Each structure stands twice: as structure tokens, then as C-alpha cells.
Coordinates of all heavy atoms in Angstrom, one line a residue:
M1 N -28.3 13.6 -2.0 CA -27.1 14.2 -2.5 C -25.9 13.4 -1.9 O -25.9 13.0 -0.8 CB -27.1 15.7 -2.0 CG -25.7 16.2 -1.8 SD -25.6 17.9 -1.5 CE -23.8 18.0 -1.4
A2 N -25.0 13.2 -2.8 CA -23.8 12.5 -2.4 C -22.5 13.3 -2.7 O -22.5 14.0 -3.7 CB -23.7 11.1 -3.1
K3 N -21.6 13.1 -1.8 CA -20.3 13.8 -2.0 C -19.2 12.8 -2.2 O -19.1 11.8 -1.5 CB -20.1 14.7 -0.8 CG -19.2 15.9 -1.0 CD -19.3 16.8 0.2 CE -18.1 17.6 0.4 NZ -18.0 18.3 1.7
C4 N -18.4 13.1 -3.2 CA -17.2 12.2 -3.5 C -16.2 12.3 -2.4 O -15.8 13.4 -1.9 CB -16.6 12.6 -4.8 SG -15.1 11.7 -5.2
R5 N -15.8 11.1 -1.9 CA -14.8 11.1 -0.8 C -13.4 11.6 -1.2 O -12.6 12.0 -0.4 CB -14.6 9.6 -0.4 CG -15.7 9.2 0.5 CD -15.3 7.8 1.0 NE -16.3 7.4 2.0 CZ -16.3 6.2 2.5 NH1 -15.5 5.3 2.2 NH2 -17.2 5.9 3.4
W6 N -13.1 11.5 -2.5 CA -11.8 11.9 -3.0 C -11.7 13.3 -3.4 O -10.9 14.1 -2.9 CB -11.3 10.9 -4.1 CG -9.9 11.2 -4.5 CD1 -9.4 11.6 -5.7 CD2 -8.7 11.1 -3.6 NE1 -8.1 11.8 -5.6 CE2 -7.6 11.5 -4.4 CE3 -8.5 10.8 -2.3 CZ2 -6.3 11.6 -3.9 CZ3 -7.2 10.8 -1.7 CH2 -6.1 11.2 -2.6
C7 N -12.6 13.8 -4.3 CA -12.4 15.2 -4.8 C -13.4 16.1 -4.0 O -13.3 17.3 -4.2 CB -12.7 15.2 -6.3 SG -14.4 14.9 -6.7
D8 N -14.2 15.6 -3.1 CA -15.1 16.4 -2.3 C -16.2 17.1 -3.2 O -16.9 18.0 -2.6 CB -14.4 17.4 -1.5 CG -13.8 16.8 -0.3 OD1 -14.3 15.8 0.2 OD2 -12.8 17.3 0.3
K9 N -16.3 16.7 -4.4 CA -17.4 17.4 -5.2 C -18.7 16.6 -5.0 O -18.7 15.4 -4.9 CB -17.0 17.3 -6.7 CG -16.0 18.4 -7.1 CD -15.7 18.4 -8.6 CE -14.5 19.3 -8.9 NZ -13.6 18.6 -9.8
G10 N -19.7 17.4 -5.1 CA -21.0 16.7 -4.9 C -22.1 17.7 -5.3 O -21.9 18.9 -5.4
G11 N -23.2 17.2 -5.5 CA -24.4 18.0 -5.8 C -25.6 17.2 -5.8 O -25.6 16.0 -5.5
L12 N -26.7 17.9 -6.0 CA -28.0 17.3 -5.9 C -28.1 16.1 -6.9 O -28.8 15.1 -6.6 CB -29.1 18.3 -6.3 CG -29.5 19.2 -5.1 CD1 -30.5 20.2 -5.6 CD2 -30.1 18.4 -4.0
L13 N -27.5 16.2 -8.1 CA -27.6 15.2 -9.1 C -26.5 14.2 -9.1 O -26.5 13.3 -9.9 CB -27.8 15.8 -10.5 CG -29.1 16.7 -10.6 CD1 -29.1 17.4 -11.9 CD2 -30.3 15.8 -10.5
S14 N -25.5 14.5 -8.3 CA -24.3 13.6 -8.4 C -24.5 12.3 -7.6 O -25.2 12.3 -6.6 CB -23.1 14.3 -7.9 OG -23.2 14.5 -6.5
R15 N -23.9 11.3 -8.1 CA -24.0 10.0 -7.5 C -22.6 9.5 -7.2 O -21.7 9.7 -8.0 CB -24.7 9.0 -8.4 CG -26.2 9.2 -8.4 CD -26.7 8.0 -9.1 NE -28.2 8.0 -9.0 CZ -28.9 7.0 -9.5 NH1 -28.3 6.0 -10.1 NH2 -30.2 7.1 -9.4
T16 N -22.5 8.7 -6.2 CA -21.2 8.0 -5.9 C -21.3 6.5 -6.0 O -22.4 6.0 -5.8 CB -20.6 8.4 -4.6 OG1 -21.6 8.1 -3.6 CG2 -20.3 9.9 -4.5
D17 N -20.2 5.9 -6.3 CA -20.3 4.4 -6.4 C -20.2 3.8 -5.0 O -20.2 4.5 -4.0 CB -19.1 3.9 -7.3 CG -17.7 4.3 -6.8 OD1 -17.6 4.6 -5.6 OD2 -16.8 4.1 -7.5
K18 N -20.0 2.5 -4.9 CA -20.0 1.8 -3.6 C -18.8 2.2 -2.7 O -18.9 2.1 -1.5 CB -20.1 0.3 -3.7 CG -19.0 -0.3 -4.5 CD -19.3 -1.8 -4.6 CE -18.1 -2.7 -5.1 NZ -17.4 -2.2 -6.2
L19 N -17.8 2.8 -3.3 CA -16.6 3.2 -2.5 C -16.8 4.7 -2.0 O -16.0 5.2 -1.3 CB -15.3 3.1 -3.3 CG -14.8 1.8 -3.7 CD1 -13.6 1.9 -4.6 CD2 -14.4 1.0 -2.4
G20 N -17.9 5.3 -2.5 CA -18.1 6.7 -2.2 C -17.4 7.7 -3.1 O -17.1 8.8 -2.7
L21 N -17.2 7.2 -4.3 CA -16.5 8.0 -5.3 C -17.4 8.5 -6.4 O -18.3 7.7 -6.8 CB -15.3 7.3 -5.9 CG -14.2 6.8 -4.8 CD1 -13.3 5.8 -5.4 CD2 -13.4 8.0 -4.3
C22 N -17.1 9.7 -7.0 CA -17.9 10.1 -8.1 C -17.4 9.4 -9.4 O -16.4 8.7 -9.4 CB -17.7 11.6 -8.3 SG -16.1 12.2 -8.8
K23 N -18.2 9.7 -10.5 CA -17.9 9.0 -11.7 C -16.5 9.3 -12.3 O -15.9 8.4 -12.9 CB -18.9 9.6 -12.8 CG -19.8 8.5 -13.3 CD -20.6 9.1 -14.4 CE -22.0 8.6 -14.4 NZ -22.9 9.4 -15.2
S24 N -16.0 10.5 -12.1 CA -14.7 10.7 -12.6 C -13.5 10.2 -11.8 O -12.5 9.8 -12.3 CB -14.5 12.2 -12.9 OG -14.7 13.0 -11.7
C25 N -13.7 10.1 -10.4 CA -12.7 9.6 -9.6 C -12.7 8.1 -9.5 O -11.7 7.5 -9.4 CB -12.8 10.2 -8.2 SG -12.6 11.9 -8.0
G26 N -13.9 7.5 -9.5 CA -14.0 6.1 -9.3 C -13.0 5.2 -10.0 O -12.2 4.5 -9.3
P27 N -13.0 5.2 -11.3 CA -12.1 4.3 -12.1 C -10.7 4.6 -11.8 O -9.8 3.7 -11.6 CB -12.5 4.5 -13.5 CG -13.8 5.2 -13.5 CD -13.9 5.9 -12.2
E28 N -10.4 5.9 -11.8 CA -9.0 6.3 -11.6 C -8.4 5.9 -10.2 O -7.4 5.4 -10.1 CB -9.0 7.9 -11.7 CG -7.7 8.4 -12.2 CD -7.8 9.9 -12.4 OE1 -8.7 10.4 -13.1 OE2 -7.1 10.7 -11.7
V29 N -9.2 6.2 -9.2 CA -8.8 5.9 -7.8 C -8.7 4.4 -7.6 O -7.7 3.9 -7.0 CB -9.7 6.6 -6.8 CG1 -9.5 6.0 -5.4 CG2 -9.6 8.1 -6.8
S30 N -9.7 3.6 -8.1 CA -9.6 2.2 -7.9 C -8.4 1.6 -8.6 O -7.7 0.7 -8.0 CB -10.9 1.5 -8.6 OG -12.0 2.1 -8.1
A31 N -8.1 2.1 -9.8 CA -6.9 1.6 -10.5 C -5.6 1.9 -9.8 O -4.7 1.1 -9.7 CB -6.9 2.2 -11.9
D32 N -5.6 3.1 -9.2 CA -4.4 3.6 -8.5 C -4.2 2.8 -7.3 O -3.1 2.3 -6.9 CB -4.6 5.1 -8.2 CG -3.2 5.8 -7.9 OD1 -2.3 5.4 -8.7 OD2 -3.1 6.6 -7.0
I33 N -5.3 2.5 -6.5 CA -5.2 1.7 -5.3 C -4.7 0.3 -5.7 O -3.8 -0.2 -5.0 CB -6.6 1.6 -4.6 CG1 -6.9 3.0 -3.9 CG2 -6.6 0.5 -3.5 CD1 -8.2 3.1 -3.3
E34 N -5.2 -0.2 -6.8 CA -4.8 -1.6 -7.1 C -3.3 -1.6 -7.5 O -2.6 -2.5 -7.1 CB -5.7 -2.0 -8.3 CG -5.8 -3.6 -8.4 CD -6.5 -4.0 -9.7 OE1 -7.6 -3.4 -10.0 OE2 -6.0 -4.9 -10.4
N35 N -2.9 -0.6 -8.3 CA -1.5 -0.6 -8.7 C -0.6 -0.5 -7.5 O 0.4 -1.3 -7.4 CB -1.2 0.7 -9.5 CG -1.6 0.5 -11.0 OD1 -1.8 -0.6 -11.4 ND2 -1.8 1.6 -11.7
H36 N -0.9 0.4 -6.6 CA 0.0 0.6 -5.4 C -0.1 -0.6 -4.5 O 1.0 -1.0 -3.9 CB -0.3 1.8 -4.7 CG 0.1 3.1 -5.4 ND1 1.4 3.3 -5.8 CD2 -0.6 4.1 -5.9 CE1 1.4 4.5 -6.5 NE2 0.2 5.0 -6.6
S37 N -1.2 -1.3 -4.4 CA -1.3 -2.5 -3.6 C -0.4 -3.6 -4.1 O 0.3 -4.3 -3.4 CB -2.8 -3.0 -3.5 OG -3.6 -2.0 -3.0
N38 N -0.5 -3.7 -5.5 CA 0.4 -4.7 -6.1 C 1.9 -4.4 -5.9 O 2.6 -5.4 -5.6 CB 0.1 -4.8 -7.6 CG -1.2 -5.4 -7.9 OD1 -1.8 -6.2 -7.1 ND2 -1.8 -5.1 -9.1
V39 N 2.2 -3.2 -6.0 CA 3.6 -2.8 -5.7 C 4.0 -3.2 -4.3 O 5.1 -3.9 -4.1 CB 3.9 -1.3 -5.9 CG1 5.3 -0.9 -5.5 CG2 3.7 -0.9 -7.4
I40 N 3.2 -3.0 -3.4 CA 3.5 -3.3 -2.0 C 3.6 -4.8 -1.8 O 4.6 -5.3 -1.2 CB 2.4 -2.8 -1.0 CG1 2.5 -1.2 -0.9 CG2 2.5 -3.4 0.4 CD1 1.3 -0.6 -0.2
Y41 N 2.7 -5.6 -2.4 CA 2.8 -7.1 -2.2 C 4.1 -7.6 -2.9 O 4.8 -8.4 -2.4 CB 1.6 -7.8 -2.8 CG 0.4 -7.5 -2.1 CD1 -0.8 -7.2 -2.7 CD2 0.3 -7.5 -0.7 CE1 -2.0 -6.9 -2.0 CE2 -0.8 -7.2 0.0 CZ -2.0 -6.9 -0.6 OH -3.1 -6.6 0.0
E42 N 4.4 -7.0 -4.1 CA 5.6 -7.5 -4.8 C 6.9 -7.1 -4.1 O 7.8 -8.0 -3.9 CB 5.7 -6.8 -6.2 CG 4.9 -7.6 -7.3 CD 4.6 -6.8 -8.5 OE1 5.5 -5.9 -8.8 OE2 3.6 -7.0 -9.2
E43 N 6.9 -5.9 -3.6 CA 8.1 -5.5 -2.9 C 8.3 -6.2 -1.5 O 9.4 -6.3 -1.1 CB 8.2 -4.0 -2.7 CG 8.2 -3.2 -4.1 CD 9.4 -3.6 -5.0 OE1 10.5 -4.0 -4.5 OE2 9.2 -3.6 -6.2
M44 N 7.2 -6.6 -0.9 CA 7.3 -7.4 0.3 C 8.0 -8.7 0.0 O 8.9 -9.1 0.8 CB 5.9 -7.7 0.9 CG 5.3 -6.6 1.7 SD 3.7 -7.1 2.3 CE 3.3 -5.8 3.3
H45 N 7.7 -9.3 -1.1 CA 8.4 -10.5 -1.5 C 9.8 -10.3 -1.8 O 10.7 -11.1 -1.4 CB 7.7 -11.2 -2.7 CG 6.4 -11.9 -2.3 ND1 6.4 -13.0 -1.5 CD2 5.1 -11.6 -2.6 CE1 5.1 -13.4 -1.3 NE2 4.3 -12.5 -2.0
V46 N 10.1 -9.2 -2.5 CA 11.5 -8.9 -2.9 C 12.3 -8.7 -1.6 O 13.4 -9.2 -1.4 CB 11.6 -7.6 -3.8 CG1 13.0 -7.2 -4.0 CG2 10.9 -7.9 -5.1
F47 N 11.7 -7.9 -0.7 CA 12.4 -7.7 0.6 C 12.7 -8.9 1.4 O 13.8 -9.1 1.9 CB 11.5 -6.7 1.4 CG 11.9 -6.5 2.8 CD1 13.0 -5.7 3.1 CD2 11.3 -7.2 3.9 CE1 13.5 -5.5 4.4 CE2 11.8 -7.0 5.2 CZ 12.8 -6.1 5.5
E48 N 11.7 -9.8 1.4 CA 11.9 -11.1 2.1 C 12.9 -12.0 1.5 O 13.6 -12.7 2.3 CB 10.5 -11.9 2.2 CG 9.7 -11.4 3.4 CD 8.3 -11.7 3.3 OE1 7.9 -12.6 2.6 OE2 7.5 -10.9 3.9
R49 N 13.1 -11.9 0.2 CA 14.0 -12.8 -0.4 C 15.4 -12.2 -0.5 O 16.4 -12.8 -0.7 CB 13.6 -13.1 -1.9 CG 12.6 -14.3 -1.9 CD 12.4 -14.8 -3.3 NE 12.0 -13.7 -4.2 CZ 10.8 -13.6 -4.7 NH1 9.8 -14.4 -4.3 NH2 10.5 -12.6 -5.5
A50 N 15.5 -10.8 -0.4 CA 16.7 -10.1 -0.5 C 17.7 -10.5 0.6 O 17.3 -10.7 1.7 CB 16.5 -8.6 -0.5
V51 N 19.0 -10.6 0.2 CA 20.0 -11.0 1.2 C 20.8 -9.8 1.5 O 21.1 -9.5 2.7 CB 21.0 -12.1 0.5 CG1 22.0 -12.6 1.6 CG2 20.1 -13.2 0.0
E52 N 21.2 -9.0 0.5 CA 22.0 -7.8 0.8 C 21.2 -6.6 1.2 O 20.1 -6.4 0.7 CB 22.8 -7.4 -0.5 CG 23.6 -8.5 -1.1 CD 24.8 -8.8 -0.3 OE1 25.3 -7.9 0.4 OE2 25.3 -10.0 -0.4
A53 N 21.8 -5.8 2.1 CA 21.1 -4.6 2.6 C 20.6 -3.6 1.5 O 19.5 -3.1 1.6 CB 21.9 -3.9 3.7
P54 N 21.5 -3.3 0.6 CA 21.1 -2.3 -0.5 C 19.8 -2.8 -1.2 O 18.9 -2.0 -1.6 CB 22.3 -2.3 -1.4 CG 23.4 -2.7 -0.6 CD 22.9 -3.7 0.3
E55 N 19.8 -4.1 -1.5 CA 18.6 -4.7 -2.2 C 17.3 -4.6 -1.3 O 16.3 -4.2 -1.8 CB 18.9 -6.2 -2.3 CG 18.5 -6.8 -3.6 CD 18.9 -8.3 -3.7 OE1 19.9 -8.7 -3.1 OE2 18.1 -9.1 -4.2
K56 N 17.5 -4.8 0.0 CA 16.4 -4.7 0.9 C 15.9 -3.2 0.9 O 14.7 -2.9 0.9 CB 16.7 -5.1 2.3 CG 16.8 -6.6 2.5 CD 17.3 -6.9 3.9 CE 17.6 -8.4 4.1 NZ 16.5 -9.1 4.7
L57 N 16.8 -2.3 1.0 CA 16.5 -0.9 1.0 C 15.7 -0.4 -0.2 O 14.8 0.4 -0.1 CB 17.8 0.0 1.2 CG 18.2 0.3 2.6 CD1 19.5 1.2 2.5 CD2 17.2 1.1 3.3
T58 N 16.2 -0.9 -1.4 CA 15.5 -0.5 -2.6 C 14.0 -1.0 -2.6 O 13.1 -0.2 -2.9 CB 16.2 -1.1 -3.8 OG1 17.6 -0.8 -3.8 CG2 15.6 -0.6 -5.1
A59 N 13.8 -2.2 -2.1 CA 12.5 -2.7 -2.0 C 11.7 -1.9 -1.0 O 10.5 -1.6 -1.3 CB 12.5 -4.2 -1.6
I60 N 12.3 -1.6 0.1 CA 11.5 -0.8 1.2 C 11.1 0.5 0.6 O 10.0 1.0 0.9 CB 12.4 -0.7 2.5 CG1 12.4 -2.1 3.2 CG2 11.8 0.4 3.4 CD1 13.2 -2.0 4.5
D61 N 12.1 1.2 -0.1 CA 11.8 2.5 -0.6 C 10.6 2.5 -1.6 O 9.7 3.4 -1.5 CB 13.0 3.2 -1.2 CG 14.0 3.6 -0.1 OD1 13.5 3.8 1.1 OD2 15.1 3.9 -0.4
K62 N 10.6 1.5 -2.4 CA 9.5 1.4 -3.4 C 8.2 1.2 -2.7 O 7.1 1.7 -3.0 CB 9.7 0.3 -4.4 CG 10.7 0.6 -5.5 CD 10.7 -0.5 -6.5 CE 12.0 -0.5 -7.3 NZ 12.3 -1.8 -8.0
L63 N 8.2 0.3 -1.7 CA 7.1 -0.1 -0.9 C 6.5 1.1 -0.1 O 5.3 1.3 -0.1 CB 7.5 -1.2 0.0 CG 6.5 -2.0 0.9 CD1 7.1 -3.4 1.2 CD2 6.3 -1.3 2.2
L64 N 7.4 1.8 0.5 CA 7.0 3.0 1.3 C 6.4 4.1 0.4 O 5.4 4.7 0.8 CB 8.2 3.6 2.1 CG 8.7 2.7 3.3 CD1 9.9 3.4 3.9 CD2 7.6 2.5 4.3
A65 N 6.9 4.3 -0.8 CA 6.4 5.3 -1.7 C 4.9 5.0 -2.0 O 4.0 5.8 -2.0 CB 7.2 5.4 -2.9
S66 N 4.7 3.7 -2.3 CA 3.3 3.2 -2.6 C 2.4 3.3 -1.4 O 1.2 3.7 -1.5 CB 3.3 1.8 -3.2 OG 3.8 1.9 -4.5
A67 N 2.9 2.9 -0.2 CA 2.1 2.9 1.0 C 1.7 4.3 1.3 O 0.6 4.5 1.8 CB 2.9 2.3 2.2
E68 N 2.6 5.3 1.1 CA 2.2 6.7 1.4 C 1.0 7.1 0.5 O 0.2 7.9 1.0 CB 3.4 7.6 1.1 CG 4.3 7.8 2.3 CD 5.6 8.5 2.1 OE1 5.6 9.3 1.1 OE2 6.5 8.3 2.9
K69 N 1.0 6.7 -0.8 CA -0.1 7.1 -1.7 C -1.4 6.5 -1.1 O -2.4 7.1 -1.1 CB 0.2 6.5 -3.1 CG 1.4 7.1 -3.8 CD 0.9 8.3 -4.7 CE 2.0 9.2 -5.1 NZ 3.0 8.5 -5.9
L70 N -1.3 5.2 -0.7 CA -2.5 4.5 -0.2 C -3.0 5.2 1.2 O -4.2 5.2 1.4 CB -2.2 3.0 0.0 CG -2.0 2.3 -1.3 CD1 -1.9 0.8 -1.0 CD2 -3.2 2.4 -2.2
V71 N -2.0 5.6 2.0 CA -2.4 6.3 3.2 C -3.3 7.5 2.9 O -4.2 7.8 3.7 CB -1.2 6.6 4.1 CG1 -1.6 7.6 5.2 CG2 -0.6 5.3 4.7
A72 N -2.9 8.2 1.9 CA -3.7 9.4 1.5 C -5.2 9.0 1.2 O -6.1 9.7 1.6 CB -3.1 10.1 0.3
Y73 N -5.4 7.9 0.6 CA -6.7 7.4 0.3 C -7.4 6.9 1.6 O -8.6 7.2 1.8 CB -6.7 6.2 -0.7 CG -6.3 6.6 -2.1 CD1 -5.3 6.0 -2.7 CD2 -7.0 7.6 -2.7 CE1 -4.9 6.3 -4.0 CE2 -6.6 8.0 -4.0 CZ -5.6 7.3 -4.7 OH -5.2 7.7 -5.9
E74 N -6.6 6.3 2.5 CA -7.2 5.8 3.7 C -7.6 7.0 4.6 O -8.6 6.9 5.3 CB -6.2 5.0 4.5 CG -6.0 3.6 3.9 CD -4.9 2.7 4.6 OE1 -4.4 3.2 5.6 OE2 -4.7 1.6 4.1
N75 N -6.9 8.1 4.5 CA -7.2 9.2 5.3 C -8.6 9.8 4.8 O -9.2 10.6 5.6 CB -6.1 10.3 5.2 CG -4.9 9.9 6.1 OD1 -5.0 9.1 7.0 ND2 -3.8 10.5 5.8
K76 N -9.0 9.5 3.6 CA -10.2 10.0 3.1 C -11.3 9.0 3.4 O -12.4 9.1 2.8 CB -10.1 10.2 1.6 CG -9.2 11.4 1.2 CD -10.0 12.6 1.0 CE -9.1 13.7 0.5 NZ -9.9 14.9 0.2
G77 N -11.0 7.9 4.1 CA -12.0 6.9 4.5 C -12.2 5.8 3.5 O -13.1 5.1 3.5
L78 N -11.2 5.7 2.5 CA -11.3 4.6 1.5 C -10.5 3.4 2.0 O -9.5 3.5 2.7 CB -10.7 5.1 0.2 CG -11.5 6.2 -0.5 CD1 -10.7 6.9 -1.5 CD2 -12.7 5.5 -1.2
E79 N -11.0 2.2 1.6 CA -10.3 1.0 1.9 C -9.3 0.8 0.8 O -9.5 0.9 -0.4 CB -11.3 -0.2 1.9 CG -11.8 -0.5 3.3 CD -12.6 -1.7 3.3 OE1 -12.3 -2.7 2.7 OE2 -13.7 -1.6 3.9
T80 N -8.1 0.4 1.2 CA -7.0 0.2 0.3 C -6.6 -1.3 0.3 O -7.3 -2.1 -0.3 CB -5.8 1.1 0.5 OG1 -5.3 0.9 1.8 CG2 -6.2 2.5 0.4
C81 N -5.5 -1.6 0.9 CA -5.1 -3.0 0.9 C -5.2 -3.6 2.3 O -5.6 -2.9 3.3 CB -3.6 -3.1 0.4 SG -2.5 -2.0 1.4
S82 N -4.9 -4.8 2.4 CA -4.9 -5.5 3.7 C -3.6 -6.2 3.9 O -3.1 -6.9 3.1 CB -6.0 -6.6 3.7 OG -5.9 -7.4 4.7
P83 N -2.8 -5.9 5.0 CA -3.1 -5.0 6.1 C -3.2 -3.5 5.6 O -2.6 -3.3 4.5 CB -1.9 -5.2 7.0 CG -0.8 -5.7 6.1 CD -1.5 -6.5 5.1
P84 N -3.8 -2.7 6.3 CA -3.9 -1.3 5.9 C -2.5 -0.6 5.7 O -1.6 -1.0 6.4 CB -4.6 -0.6 7.1 CG -5.3 -1.7 7.9 CD -4.5 -2.9 7.6
A85 N -2.5 0.3 4.7 CA -1.2 0.9 4.3 C -0.6 1.6 5.5 O 0.7 1.7 5.6 CB -1.5 1.8 3.2
K86 N -1.4 2.1 6.4 CA -0.9 2.8 7.6 C 0.0 1.9 8.4 O 1.1 2.3 8.8 CB -2.1 3.3 8.4 CG -2.0 4.8 8.7 CD -3.3 5.2 9.4 CE -4.2 5.9 8.4 NZ -5.5 6.3 8.9
L87 N -0.4 0.7 8.6 CA 0.4 -0.3 9.3 C 1.6 -0.7 8.6 O 2.7 -0.8 9.2 CB -0.4 -1.5 9.7 CG -1.7 -1.4 10.6 CD1 -2.3 -2.7 10.8 CD2 -1.2 -0.8 11.9
V88 N 1.5 -0.9 7.3 CA 2.6 -1.3 6.4 C 3.7 -0.2 6.5 O 4.8 -0.5 6.7 CB 2.1 -1.5 4.9 CG1 3.3 -1.7 4.0 CG2 1.2 -2.7 4.9
L89 N 3.2 1.0 6.4 CA 4.1 2.2 6.4 C 4.9 2.2 7.7 O 6.1 2.4 7.7 CB 3.3 3.5 6.2 CG 4.1 4.7 5.9 CD1 4.7 4.7 4.6 CD2 3.2 6.0 6.0
A90 N 4.2 2.0 8.8 CA 4.8 2.1 10.1 C 5.8 1.0 10.3 O 7.0 1.2 10.7 CB 3.8 2.0 11.2
E91 N 5.4 -0.2 9.9 CA 6.3 -1.4 10.1 C 7.6 -1.3 9.2 O 8.6 -1.5 9.7 CB 5.5 -2.7 9.7 CG 6.2 -3.9 10.1 CD 5.3 -5.2 9.8 OE1 4.3 -5.0 9.2 OE2 5.8 -6.3 10.2
Y92 N 7.4 -0.9 8.0 CA 8.6 -0.9 7.1 C 9.4 0.3 7.3 O 10.6 0.3 7.0 CB 8.1 -1.1 5.6 CG 7.8 -2.5 5.3 CD1 6.6 -3.1 5.6 CD2 8.8 -3.4 4.8 CE1 6.3 -4.4 5.4 CE2 8.6 -4.7 4.5 CZ 7.3 -5.2 4.8 OH 7.0 -6.5 4.6
T93 N 8.9 1.4 7.9 CA 9.7 2.5 8.3 C 10.6 2.0 9.4 O 11.8 2.4 9.4 CB 8.8 3.7 8.7 OG1 7.9 4.1 7.7 CG2 9.7 4.9 9.1
G94 N 10.1 1.2 10.3 CA 10.9 0.6 11.3 C 12.0 -0.3 10.8 O 13.2 -0.2 11.2
F95 N 11.7 -1.2 9.8 CA 12.7 -2.1 9.2 C 13.8 -1.2 8.5 O 14.9 -1.6 8.6 CB 12.0 -2.9 8.1 CG 11.1 -4.0 8.6 CD1 10.1 -4.6 7.8 CD2 11.2 -4.4 9.9 CE1 9.3 -5.6 8.3 CE2 10.4 -5.4 10.4 CZ 9.4 -6.0 9.6
R96 N 13.3 -0.1 7.9 CA 14.3 0.7 7.2 C 15.3 1.3 8.2 O 16.5 1.3 7.9 CB 13.6 1.8 6.4 CG 14.4 2.5 5.4 CD 13.7 3.7 4.7 NE 14.5 4.1 3.6 CZ 15.6 4.7 3.6 NH1 16.2 5.1 4.8 NH2 16.3 5.0 2.5
A97 N 14.8 1.8 9.3 CA 15.6 2.4 10.3 C 16.6 1.4 10.8 O 17.8 1.7 11.0 CB 14.8 3.0 11.4
D98 N 16.2 0.1 11.0 CA 17.1 -0.9 11.5 C 18.2 -1.2 10.5 O 19.4 -1.3 10.8 CB 16.3 -2.2 11.7 CG 15.4 -2.2 12.9 OD1 15.6 -1.2 13.7 OD2 14.5 -3.0 13.0
L99 N 17.8 -1.2 9.2 CA 18.8 -1.5 8.1 C 19.8 -0.4 8.0 O 21.0 -0.6 7.9 CB 18.1 -1.6 6.8 CG 17.6 -2.9 6.3 CD1 16.9 -2.7 5.0 CD2 18.7 -3.9 6.2
V100 N 19.4 0.9 8.1 CA 20.3 2.0 7.9 C 21.1 2.2 9.2 O 22.3 2.5 9.1 CB 19.4 3.3 7.7 CG1 20.3 4.5 7.6 CG2 18.7 3.2 6.4
G101 N 20.5 1.8 10.3 CA 21.3 2.0 11.6 C 22.4 1.0 11.8 O 23.4 1.2 12.5
S102 N 22.2 -0.2 11.1 CA 23.2 -1.2 11.4 C 24.4 -1.2 10.4 O 24.3 -0.7 9.4 CB 22.6 -2.6 11.4 OG 22.0 -2.8 10.1
Ligands
ZN1 ZN1 -14.6 12.7 -7.2

């Protein structure tokens, strides 16, 4: 018997994929993780190239929103992006505080 990591549903006849997800969550969760990972990578580049503070803030906010989604998956024991979203979230929350504070 296997239990889905995301929806916690499971039963004698249920099977999970290699990520530990059931049939209905698997494709959805994988696609969501991929989307948010892409947003994070893109916004990291935007942030690095940005010169003005408002531009940097916009990028950070988008990045943090996606990182929060991924942290929810990580808390369920799923692998998301590299570096882990938890670290990304902590690091960019710090960058944001620096920007707003100055
Ligand atoms: Zn599920």
C-alpha cells in the first residue's frame, strides 16, 4: 500500500510514482514544480541584471511567491529545485529587507 505524499490519499490498490505521488497528483504537481522553478530561475536573472531598486523588488516578489509554493512541496518531502526553495526563500527575503531598508 502506498500513500500519496501530496494529497495523503492511499489504499491497498493505489500506487504512487517515483516521486511518491498518486496518479491524479503526479502530473499536476510535477508541472507546478517545474513552472515555479522556472519562474525562480528567470527572476534570479532579472534581479541580477536590474539596476533600479523597484525593478529588483518586483523580481524578488515574483521569486518569493514561487519559492513559497515550492516550500509547501518540500515540506511534504518532495524535491523541487536546486538550491532548495527553502534556502532561496531565506536568501531573497534577506535581499528584500536590505532593499526596502535602504
Ligand atoms: Zn495524490
Side-chain angles (χ1 to χ4, degrees):
M1 152 172 179
K3 205 168 154 190
C4 172
R5 280 186 175 171
W6 185 241
C7 68
D8 280 336
K9 280 184 194 136
L12 280 173
L13 296 172
S14 67
R15 284 193 172 182
T16 54
D17 63 14
K18 59 183 193 311
L19 292 172
L21 299 166
C22 71
K23 243 189 221 163
S24 58
C25 294
E28 210 176 299
V29 169
S30 308
D32 204 37
I33 287 175
E34 204 186 314
N35 279 341
H36 289 301
S37 302
N38 287 337
V39 171
I40 289 174
Y41 295 134
E42 275 165 31
E43 296 307 325
M44 274 179 177
H45 283 293
V46 174
F47 172 76
E48 272 157 28
R49 279 194 303 255
V51 186
E52 305 289 333
E55 221 180 323
K56 284 178 188 266
L57 268 180
T58 307
I60 287 182
D61 284 341
K62 282 188 202 162
L63 187 153
L64 289 178
S66 285
E68 271 171 23
K69 294 265 164 63
L70 293 183
V71 167
Y73 292 125
E74 284 176 6
N75 287 340
K76 293 264 188 176
L78 292 161
E79 266 183 47
T80 58
C81 56
S82 166
K86 233 171 258 177
L87 295 181
V88 173
L89 192 67
E91 194 176 3
Y92 281 84
T93 302
F95 290 160
R96 194 184 195 285
D98 289 345
L99 270 178
V100 177
S102 61

